[in-house]
Amino acid sequence: MIHISQILILISIVIMFLNILHYIVSTVVYADVMSKTTLQRIPFTILVLVMMVLCEIFYFNIYSSHYVDYIIGLSIFTATLMFTLFSFGIFSRSKLIKTRTQELVRILIGVIEAGDANLDGHSLYVTELSMLIYENLPLRKKIFLNADSLKYASLLFDVGKLGVPRSIIDKKGKLETSEWEFIRRHPIIGSMILQDIPSFEQVGKWIQYHHERVDGSGYYKLKGAEIPLASRIIAVADTYSAITMNRNYKSSKSYQEALTELNLSKGSQLDSNLVDLFNKIPEEKVEKCLNEVRLRMEKYGKENFR
């Protein structure tokens, strides 16, 4: 007959195993740019994992003994429970901080774009559309792309335009060759802005390649799957948003007109599979994204969307 102390230790073994699994998933598998283990944090991350594994081995050895004192079993169970609650508190707090950070970035981008008739809410709309595309990705692709990291990349994908002279961005006529060179540099400028932020290197690369063309004729001559999936998603969202929002040099186009242009661009500029996926997303879901951006931009005193 199993002693009650062994039952408590067995429960502790199961709980600690779940803690180890959750820790690995959170710090490795689903780590985003805000929680990714940087080079400086690797020793600490490994140390915590090793300590948890050693505790699990210690628990198992005690459980394997023929008799365990009730006080020992209760002590181990209590300690494990307290550790679990403490860990849950840390991860919950971390998730709350990440959510607030994303909201702060979203607000800042919205405020910056509210002062530009040609960018008013564009990045917010691209973010909403990028996440809508992500939600509809096949699971085999979704598991290799972190949703929070994609959200940061789609929010900041045009941040490089801050390094482009306003006279060029606001110009209504045809751009000169030298002016086009400035515009062409905004992806790399965006990447350079983020390069000094630990763990944002990947997001910077996604931003750098968001104007690549799948036929290999883009800025960096990357072709097809050589272009990061996140960059290809942002490209589709960016193109759709650019077609359907008002700008001072063109009027907006309808949902169906935008789909037609997307389909004309697939295989050359845009990823064919992602365009086909976007075609299957119900129009009302796309409109919902637009309405959410409209509500946000109204708070900033602007609404240049159709």
Side-chain angles (χ1 to χ4, degrees):
M1 183 176 180
I2 300 179
H3 194 274
I4 188 171
S5 59
Q6 288 183 297
I7 295 176
L8 291 174
I9 294 176
L10 180 61
I11 294 174
S12 299
I13 290 174
V14 173
I15 293 175
M16 185 57 71
F17 175 77
L18 293 176
N19 282 332
I20 294 172
L21 188 62
H22 179 259
Y23 186 78
I24 293 174
V25 169
S26 300
T27 57
V28 179
V29 182
Y30 289 112
D32 59 39
V33 292
M34 296 300 291
S35 59
K36 183 180 177 181
T37 300
T38 59
L39 188 62
Q40 293 80 8
R41 291 165 53 188
I42 287 178
F44 176 77
T45 301
I46 295 177
L47 177 62
V48 172
L49 182 60
V50 168
M51 289 178 64
M52 293 171 69
V53 172
L54 288 176
C55 283
E56 184 78 337
I57 295 174
F58 174 67
Y59 292 174
F60 185 79
N61 287 335
I62 294 179
Y63 174 78
S64 300
S65 63
H66 296 292
Y67 177 78
V68 180
D69 183 80
Y70 174 76
I71 299 299
I72 294 177
L74 182 60
S75 298
I76 289 176
F77 175 76
T78 302
T80 304
L81 191 61
M82 290 179 64
F83 174 80
T84 302
L85 293 174
F86 178 73
S87 299
F88 179 78
I90 291 177
F91 279 108
S92 297
R93 183 65 177 174
S94 176
K95 185 176 181 179
L96 177 61
I97 291 173
K98 288 192 290 184
T99 300
R100 290 178 176 176
T101 301
Q102 287 179 359
E103 184 61 24
L104 178 60
V105 173
R106 188 181 286 109
I107 290 172
L108 291 174
I109 293 296
V111 170
I112 291 172
E113 292 192 346
D116 189 328
N118 291 323
L119 293 177
D120 189 21
H122 176 53
S123 294
L124 302 187
Y125 195 23
V126 170
T127 299
E128 294 292 335
L129 293 173
S130 295
M131 300 315 298
L132 182 61
I133 294 172
Y134 173 84
E135 291 171 6
N136 288 273
L137 284 175
L139 182 60
R140 67 180 184 278
K141 291 188 176 181
K142 189 181 294 187
I143 59 176
F144 293 108
L145 181 60
N146 183 274
D148 287 327
S149 296
L150 174 61
K151 188 174 293 185
Y152 279 110
S154 55
L155 277 170
L156 298 168
F157 84 104
D158 256 352
V159 70
K161 287 185 177 179
L162 294 174
V164 179
R166 295 296 310 176
S167 59
I168 296 177
I169 293 178
D170 295 335
K171 188 173 181 178
K172 295 183 180 181
K174 185 178 180 180
L175 294 178
E176 302 293 336
T177 302
S178 59
E179 293 172 328
W180 264 117
E181 286 303 314
F182 267 110
I183 294 295
R184 286 167 60 91
R185 280 184 53 79
H186 84 267
I188 185 62
I189 293 174
S191 178
M192 291 170 63
I193 289 174
L194 298 176
Q195 69 180 2
D196 291 331
I197 303 177
S199 78
F200 265 73
E201 298 90 350
Q202 185 181 54
V203 167
K205 289 297 181 183
W206 293 349
I207 291 173
Q208 182 176 345
Y209 299 133
H210 80 269
H211 272 307
E212 287 303 277
R213 298 170 61 93
V214 295
D215 63 3
S217 62
Y219 296 168
Y220 299 96
K221 309 304 179 184
L222 298 183
K223 186 176 181 179
E226 294 175 354
I227 306 169
L229 176 59
S231 303
R232 285 178 275 149
I233 290 174
I234 293 172
V236 173
D238 181 27
T239 303
Y240 180 87
S241 176
I243 294 170
T244 57
M245 71 175 288
N246 285 323
R247 296 192 173 182
N248 60 14
Y249 52 85
K250 74 171 187 66
S251 58
S252 65
K253 293 187 178 182
S254 68
Y255 169 79
Q256 289 298 335
E257 289 174 322
L259 287 190
T260 298
E261 291 200 25
L262 288 181
N263 285 308
L264 289 173
S265 298
K266 71 179 186 180
S268 55
Q269 175 189 350
L270 304 174
D271 185 297
S272 296
N273 292 328
L274 291 177
V275 173
D276 290 340
L277 182 151
F278 192 83
N279 286 330
K280 296 177 183 178
I281 297 176
E283 181 180 356
E284 56 268 23
K285 289 190 176 183
V286 177
E287 288 297 313
K288 183 180 178 182
C289 291
L290 177 60
N291 291 332
E292 289 179 359
V293 175
R294 279 176 171 167
L295 290 174
R296 282 185 170 274
M297 296 312 295
E298 285 175 359
K299 296 179 181 179
Y300 311 135
K302 291 286 184 178
E303 186 183 16
N304 289 326
F305 288 95
R306 60 182 174 83

